[in-house]
Amino acid sequence: MKIGTHGTLTQRLLVVGLLALALLARLVPGERMVDDAYITFRYARNLVEGRGFVYNPGERVLGTTTPLYTLVLAGLALVTGSSDFPALALLVNALAGAASVGLLYALGRHFADHWAPAAAAALLWAVAPHSVTFAIGGMETDLTVALLLACSYAHVTDRPRAMAVCSALALLARPDTVILLGLLWLDLVLARLRKRQLVGVFREGLITLTLLAPWLIFGTLHFGSPLTASIAAKSVTYQLLPMEGAVRLLQHYATPF
């Protein structure tokens, strides 16, 4: 019993250390905002100051890719009374990065019989160059990844209602999360088909749709579409030849911390 208790305590301390590392990796470098982040900050600022969900007052154009992140920042600004959106973004991203580390450890423990693979996966994300770069740059990446990991953990631990809630939040964080979410939901549907329990899938789907409905209605009425206009812009701007794409991939993995 003593050995088991000691092992559990050691693993808990390990997790705490990993969470602390993720926080420090994002907080210590300080704010290094990138230009796209200021688009979201401006939407959040206009919301707080009563101008509405707009970039320019009177112009109903959705230019931010992340409605959820915008609302989170606006909510924090209202609660704290702070208009320092870069600092608020860094705080949100540091906490989201730590949450991702905890979820990766939990996923690792779910699939492995030993703590080492779980700790390795969590450690890699805690100091992942691009995760840290986008976090201190004010982008919504860490929040989006945390929500996708929460969806994945809820799915593998057979918590479909939790997955349904996290799915709605992930889609509001970024629309391209539909790529992973589609695979998770497909696996859920296939599993329910084998068990002849499709009614449950409709129930969970209704949970996701209910949570998305306010934004879908607002986005359609306010902007003409709940999807950001930047999707069309990026589809034209970010076009690479096959070899250019390969070089860019190598550059990403070669980026030093």
Side-chain angles (χ1 to χ4, degrees):
M1 178 62 71
K2 290 183 179 180
I3 294 176
T5 303
H6 176 72
T8 301
L9 178 60
T10 301
Q11 290 180 38
R12 287 177 179 174
L13 291 175
L14 173 64
V15 173
V16 170
L18 289 168
L19 297 178
L21 178 61
L23 287 171
L24 289 173
R26 288 153 179 77
L27 293 175
V28 170
E31 303 163 12
R32 302 181 188 182
M33 299 295 117
V34 297
D35 52 358
D36 280 6
Y38 286 101
I39 297 174
T40 301
F41 296 165
R42 182 155 166 168
Y43 276 93
R45 186 186 305 279
N46 283 334
L47 262 177
V48 173
E49 295 178 355
R51 300 189 183 97
F53 205 124
V54 293
Y55 185 82
N56 292 320
E59 297 180 6
R60 296 186 176 186
V61 178
L62 181 58
T64 177
T65 57
T66 177
L68 178 65
Y69 191 55
T70 306
L71 293 172
V72 168
L73 292 178
L76 280 176
L78 284 172
V79 170
T80 62
S82 171
S83 59
D84 189 349
F85 287 98
L88 294 174
L90 185 59
L91 174 62
V92 171
N93 292 338
L95 293 174
S100 294
V101 165
L103 286 164
L104 280 169
Y105 185 85
L107 281 165
R109 290 295 292 164
H110 178 80
F111 289 111
D113 294 328
H114 198 274
W115 59 266
L123 176 62
L124 286 173
W125 182 253
V127 296
H130 280 80
S131 172
V132 174
T133 297
F134 283 113
I136 64 179
M139 299 297 286
E140 70 280 358
T141 308
D142 265 340
L143 177 62
T144 304
V145 170
L147 289 169
L148 286 175
L149 287 172
C151 289
S152 302
Y153 184 71
H155 179 58
V156 300
T157 55
D158 196 24
R159 299 174 185 176
R161 293 185 182 180
M163 188 183 87
V165 172
C166 292
S167 294
L169 295 176
L171 286 168
L172 290 174
R174 280 189 69 93
D176 50 3
T177 55
V178 71
I179 299 171
L180 176 59
L181 295 177
L183 295 175
L184 294 178
W185 279 88
L186 176 60
D187 188 58
L188 178 63
V189 169
L190 293 176
R192 292 293 176 81
L193 275 174
R194 289 191 293 269
K195 297 178 180 179
R196 297 183 180 180
Q197 297 176 347
L198 269 181
V199 175
V201 175
F202 289 112
R203 181 179 60 242
E204 281 107 34
L206 184 60
I207 292 173
T208 300
L209 185 59
T210 300
L211 292 174
L212 286 174
W215 174 256
L216 295 176
I217 295 171
F218 171 78
T220 301
L221 295 178
H222 191 71
F223 301 111
S225 170
L227 295 177
T228 174
S230 62
I231 293 178
K234 290 179 179 179
S235 67
V236 175
T237 304
Y238 297 107
Q239 294 188 10
L240 298 174
L241 296 174
M243 284 306 298
E244 291 176 334
V247 171
R248 184 68 58 86
L249 179 65
L250 291 174
Q251 289 174 334
H252 279 309
Y253 279 99
T255 301
F257 181 73

